[in-house]
Amino acid sequence: MDCLVNVDFGDNKQPDWMVRVKEDYFKGGDSFFKSPELNELVDDMDANGVEKAILIAKVGRTDGRAFQFAEARPDRFSLALGGFNLLRPMPTVRTLESYVRDYPVVCTNVGPSFWGDGMYPPTDPVYFPLYTKCCELELPLCVNTGIPGPPLPAEPQNPIHLDRVCYRFPELKLCMIHGADPWWDTAIRLMIKYKNLRLMTSAWSPKRLPASLLHFMATRGKERVIFASDYPVLSFQRTLTEAAALDLTDEVRDNWLYANADAFFFGGKAAT
């Protein structure tokens, strides 16, 4: 199960910082800003054993590929919804509730470095209406953590900010996405401390994951770490080939690649 897939990069003009991260950080080629056709994406998933994918979607774009793909193949695709104006709390919570009612939304997401000039860490009250509504809907919330690849302010994505969030909102199903570099140990310590917190390895080449995280996955964190590629930033083939080569037991690898996401996003049987 791939829990973070982009399907509309090629349909939208990318900001300068995204072009820079493509060229300077990921050294990406033409496929980096690619919008796949439905059959092309499904064939790629089938070829690499990906049963389901969660597609990044934005409010106000129900005609986009993510919504089209999810409607055409509800057996393969669900949606991660973002793009809220958190400075307008009531329209935000009403819009979220309506999208959850009308579309296969399984989580929402927000990147603290990517909006508001990076001035709003997750502890800021501007997020509280979103947290509250996610708790009411029992909807997972994914928050970017770690220094972002683009040249944007990094401090609001320090996972230590989630300490107070988890403390104030123990009912919130919360997942750190895009890893937590260079604060991996802080993220791990927070997951040990709070049962409602997870981490997703999206946008990280599996062979680059730190030893401390792999140890956590194999010990106290067997049910806490979730796989994602951030396709097409990283391909299914590359990430899953590297995942298969890691020195992990079958149980740990299966939890990471499937069971943990199934439990967290879809209410499946929890990993053990």
Side-chain angles (χ1 to χ4, degrees), residues 54 79-81 96 100 105-110 130 133-135 137-143 171-175 196 198 200 226 261 263-267:
I54 300 177
L79 302 175
L81 190 64
L96 175 58
V100 170
V105 175
V106 296
C107 65
T108 187
N109 56 53
V110 64
L130 178 63
K133 181 55 65 174
C134 285
C135 289
L137 297 174
E138 298 185 352
L139 185 72
L141 173 64
C142 296
V143 179
E171 305 88 353
L172 180 62
K173 298 175 67 175
L174 191 61
C175 184
N196 59 321
R198 303 290 187 274
M200 188 185 296
I226 294 170
F264 189 70
F265 293 110
F266 298 98

Side-chain angles (χ1 to χ4, degrees), residues 2-8 52-59 61-74 76-82 84 96 98-109 139-142 265-266:
D2 194 325
C3 296
L4 202 156
V5 169
N6 301 278
V7 294
D8 63 356
K52 297 180 181 179
I54 300 177
L55 309 180
I56 298 296
K58 292 184 178 181
V59 295
R61 291 293 309 274
T62 57
D63 60 338
R65 289 176 190 258
F67 290 94
Q68 293 173 6
F69 290 7
E71 181 179 12
R73 294 296 305 268
R76 305 300 294 271
F77 301 115
S78 300
L79 302 175
L81 190 64
F84 299 102
L96 175 58
S98 69
Y99 272 74
V100 170
R101 181 183 63 244
D102 297 335
Y103 300 98
V105 175
V106 296
C107 65
T108 187
N109 56 53
L139 185 72
L141 173 64
C142 296
F265 293 110
F266 298 98

Side-chain angles (χ1 to χ4, degrees), residues 1-4 49-52 54 175-179 184 191 198-211 213-219 221-230 234-266 269-272:
M1 190 180 302
D2 194 325
C3 296
L4 202 156
V50 179
E51 180 180 306
K52 297 180 181 179
I54 300 177
C175 184
M176 300 173 279
I177 63 174
H178 292 352
W184 295 102
M191 284 189 283
R198 303 290 187 274
L199 182 142
M200 188 185 296
T201 58
S202 49
W204 272 86
S205 170
K207 70 180 181 181
R208 303 296 185 190
L209 293 173
L213 183 70
L214 298 177
H215 175 76
F216 177 68
M217 290 165 57
T219 54
K222 289 183 178 180
E223 81 286 5
R224 298 303 187 92
V225 182
I226 294 170
F227 170 81
S229 66
D230 199 21
L234 295 174
S235 69
F236 302 137
Q237 182 179 27
R238 174 180 173 179
T239 51
L240 290 168
T241 298
E242 291 183 7
L246 292 176
D247 185 18
L248 301 172
T249 67
D250 289 343
E251 175 196 15
V252 170
R253 197 183 335 269
D254 290 345
N255 285 347
W256 173 36
L257 297 182
Y258 189 90
N260 294 344
D262 190 44
F264 189 70
F265 293 110
F266 298 98
K269 184 178 179 181
T272 57

Side-chain angles (χ1 to χ4, degrees), residues 91-197:
T92 287
V93 298
R94 289 169 180 156
T95 298
L96 175 58
E97 195 164 32
S98 69
Y99 272 74
V100 170
R101 181 183 63 244
D102 297 335
Y103 300 98
V105 175
V106 296
C107 65
T108 187
N109 56 53
V110 64
S113 292
F114 291 78
W115 77 280
D117 201 28
M119 296 296 291
Y120 300 95
T123 49
D124 195 285
V126 72
Y127 293 93
F128 287 10
L130 178 63
Y131 297 158
T132 301
K133 181 55 65 174
C134 285
C135 289
E136 291 177 354
L137 297 174
E138 298 185 352
L139 185 72
L141 173 64
C142 296
V143 179
N144 287 44
T145 48
I147 294 179
L152 297 170
E155 191 277 334
Q157 295 192 172
N158 188 328
I160 195 60
H161 292 297
L162 300 179
D163 184 36
R164 287 189 179 273
V165 176
C166 290
Y167 175 70
R168 294 298 182 192
F169 294 89
E171 305 88 353
L172 180 62
K173 298 175 67 175
L174 191 61
C175 184
M176 300 173 279
I177 63 174
H178 292 352
D181 190 68
W183 303 295
W184 295 102
D185 289 345
T186 299
I188 291 168
R189 185 66 185 86
L190 288 172
M191 284 189 283
I192 293 173
K193 184 178 181 182
Y194 296 110
K195 293 182 179 180
N196 59 321
L197 188 60

